[in-house]
Amino acid sequence: MATDPEFEFTALDAIRQSGIVIASDGAEYLKIKEFNPIDATSNPSLVSHALSKPEYAHIFTDAVHYACSTLPTASLNEQTDLAMDKLLVQVGAEILNIIPGRVSVSVDPRLGYDYHAILTKAKSLTSLFNSLSPPIPPSRFLIKIPATYPGILAAHTLESLPSSPIHTNLTLVFGQVQAVACAQAGVSVVSPFVGRVKDWCDARARLGLDDVGHISDERKKPAIETHPGLNLLRDIRNAYTQLGTKTQIMAAGFRSVDELVEVGRHGSKGGPDLVTLPPELLDGLRRREGVRADSTLSDSISPPWALPTSTIPVYFNPTSPDPDGTLFENALKEEGGIALDKVPEGLEKFSRDARKLEGRVRCALEVLREAEARGKSQMGVGQTSTSDACENGQLDRTTTTLVAKKGLEGIEWVEQTSSLNLNLCAGVQEGVIAVGQCLGQSVKVI
């Protein structure tokens, strides 16, 4: 993708000059170095896609082996959970070898409405970052959590830990209520989804509805200057300025270079602190001639929510949080319901990809566990176990390719390939082949 810039001053340069920090959005870290991002983000969909490619398969392999060796006597579920966490952290660590800033790593999206499970997962991910050599300090990663009320409550708890706070990035933000609640909860970063806000508003416009569900006379597609997703960024900036919050705005989910050019015109004072972009949009910006930011634009903005700080509603009370979030949920309804529509939709998409990746991990672990059991039975009681032999370096390293056709949690796997580097002796190799036959898999041991 690397090319010589066509212009001396590109649209990517313009965004940087406007004071907005560039973050890369993706798990394929080999693609991001050329764009020199400061921060980076990923999500379960991006990680799942990346690890299906040969150049990133070693991360999958290493995570599976790590779970087996770290929890040799644990249940399959426990090993799967650890392997899933490990591969997310390892992707994050690889990205941190490239960028100077922070990487955002997601909790399992299926935990989006479970306060206690989010806390546990965030602490597990943090522990794995700390266990790396050298350890990665908390200042270099953000735990990415859905901006549901349980997610915001969990983020508040994590950011408030007395000894070592865990910093968070609240994602799937679609409206002012979520953004203000996150700031009031003291989260480090919020990620509004610009493109999906526009999608929702365009869909309602086609039905003749305005942003609160009433019949609207304005049914035409809005121009870039009145883009509802970009307007949301400006409204959040205005509210955050009035609140005096330290919470940063990391705009996400852009669909076009034109949207980003408009964001760059207003700069960080009139919009986000950061934008997180996939390589395709970063390259598009690099191929567009840049226009230097107009410093007067951010000062001339007159946001619709220009109210005194005292009148900004409290959606999250940090001194006495509402355990049920009733006020927050009611405010989402009054706002028009965009978050009530789009958050579950986003969680479901991410959850599908998380289940997919989990299925691959579980399948690999099942083969390893069954191979281990068969190897032990062949070696007999009192002889060196497969785990001990692996730790002592006594087993030859081979490569096993699994082509799986297996149903798991309602998902059908068809010709799904994972390359696994397995430490196997001859007896265990035979076990792998037998287990593969039992699972309906074609297994080739090289």
Side-chain angles (χ1 to χ4, degrees):
M1 187 178 289
T3 58
D4 294 329
E6 298 178 28
F7 306 101
E8 182 179 345
F9 186 76
T10 69
L12 187 57
D13 295 326
I15 290 178
R16 288 192 172 107
Q17 188 186 70
S18 75
I20 296 173
V21 173
I22 299 295
S24 64
D25 189 30
E28 297 181 55
Y29 50 84
L30 298 176
K31 292 184 175 181
I32 69 176
K33 186 175 182 179
E34 64 182 278
F35 299 106
N36 299 313
I38 301 299
D39 281 16
T41 60
S42 65
N43 62 48
S45 300
L46 295 170
V47 171
S48 180
H49 179 71
L51 297 189
S52 67
K53 298 187 175 183
E55 59 266 40
Y56 303 103
H58 66 281
I59 290 180
F60 179 90
T61 301
D62 293 345
V64 169
H65 278 291
Y66 177 84
C68 285
S69 60
T70 304
L71 301 175
T73 62
S75 69
L76 177 60
N77 286 342
E78 291 170 328
Q79 288 183 339
T80 300
D81 285 346
L82 180 59
M84 289 286 285
D85 290 351
K86 179 64 175 177
L87 62 85
L88 293 174
V89 167
Q90 196 56 50
V91 168
E94 294 288 352
I95 291 172
L96 288 174
N97 287 331
I98 297 170
I99 65 170
R102 305 164 297 182
V103 64
S104 293
V105 176
S106 296
V107 301
D108 190 323
R110 292 168 290 181
L111 308 179
Y113 294 97
D114 190 329
Y115 165 78
H116 294 289
I118 292 172
L119 290 181
T120 299
K121 184 62 68 178
K123 291 175 181 178
S124 173
L125 294 169
T126 299
S127 176
L128 287 171
F129 273 117
N130 291 338
S131 71
L132 296 175
S133 182
I136 294 178
S139 61
R140 296 214 63 201
F141 62 88
L142 298 166
I143 303 299
K144 202 170 177 183
I145 298 171
T148 60
Y149 188 78
I152 296 171
L153 186 60
H156 171 69
T157 300
L158 293 166
E159 297 272 6
S160 304
L161 292 173
S163 55
S164 52
I166 296 174
H167 302 301
T168 58
N169 177 351
L170 272 288
T171 187
L172 293 175
V173 171
F174 298 102
Q176 192 97 290
V177 172
Q178 288 174 289
V180 169
C182 288
Q184 291 167 340
V187 309
S188 295
V189 176
V190 296
S191 292
F193 278 45
V194 171
R196 296 192 199 185
V197 169
K198 185 175 185 298
D199 292 345
W200 187 85
C201 292
D202 285 353
R204 293 174 76 79
R206 286 192 292 270
L207 296 174
L209 301 174
D210 64 16
D211 59 355
V212 293
H214 299 142
I215 299 299
S216 172
D217 293 330
E218 183 59 59
R219 300 185 183 210
K220 64 182 180 180
K221 190 175 181 179
I224 191 70
E225 293 81 5
T226 57
H227 187 303
L230 302 184
N231 285 341
L232 175 62
L233 296 180
R234 297 170 196 145
D235 293 348
I236 294 172
R237 169 58 62 206
N238 180 58
Y240 279 15
T241 299
Q242 294 177 63
L243 287 169
T245 181
K246 295 181 179 180
T247 299
Q248 292 183 306
I249 305 167
M250 179 186 282
F254 289 93
R255 300 289 169 73
S256 71
V257 170
D258 287 340
E259 292 173 340
L260 289 157
V261 169
E262 180 68 13
V263 167
R265 288 179 64 236
H266 295 281
S268 59
K269 291 183 180 180
D273 300 282
L274 310 93
V275 291
T276 182
L277 308 172
E280 295 77 15
L281 279 179
L282 289 168
D283 189 53
L285 286 167
R286 192 171 55 180
R287 294 172 182 273
R288 173 82 70 89
E289 186 173 12
V291 177
R292 298 185 186 276
D294 186 342
S295 60
T296 65
L297 276 175
S298 61
D299 297 329
S300 66
I301 295 171
S302 180
W305 213 34
L307 303 173
T309 304
S310 59
T311 66
I312 293 178
V314 175
Y315 301 122
F316 187 94
N317 185 345
T319 59
S320 181
D322 175 7
D324 300 320
T326 303
L327 180 64
F328 175 79
E329 297 295 335
N330 288 339
L332 293 181
K333 295 175 185 175
E334 293 174 4
E335 187 179 44
I338 182 170
L340 298 176
D341 290 343
K342 301 301 289 184
V343 171
E345 177 186 288
L347 286 175
E348 177 54 32
K349 180 185 183 301
F350 290 146
S351 294
R352 283 197 302 270
D353 291 324
R355 285 193 295 269
K356 228 190 225 183
L357 183 57
E358 183 182 72
R360 293 173 57 200
V361 169
R362 183 180 291 268
C363 181
L365 285 167
E366 284 177 338
V367 171
L368 282 175
R369 287 165 65 91
E370 293 294 340
E372 169 87 3
R374 181 173 287 262
K376 284 181 178 178
S377 68
Q378 292 178 352
M379 285 185 284
V381 178
Q383 297 190 33
T384 304
S385 72
T386 309
S387 296
D388 292 339
C390 286
E391 291 176 3
N392 296 330
Q394 298 173 6
L395 301 181
D396 295 332
R397 177 170 290 275
T398 65
T399 300
T400 298
T401 300
L402 306 178
V403 181
K405 289 186 179 180
K406 180 183 178 185
L408 184 68
E409 295 184 8
I411 298 174
E412 187 70 22
W413 306 107
V414 179
E415 296 183 349
Q416 175 184 289
T417 303
S418 303
S419 296
L420 306 177
N421 294 321
L422 304 177
N423 289 320
L424 303 174
C425 62
V428 179
Q429 288 181 14
E430 181 182 348
V432 170
I433 294 172
V435 171
Q437 292 171 346
C438 293
L439 295 176
Q441 300 166 350
S442 171
V443 180
K444 182 181 180 183
V445 180
I446 301 174

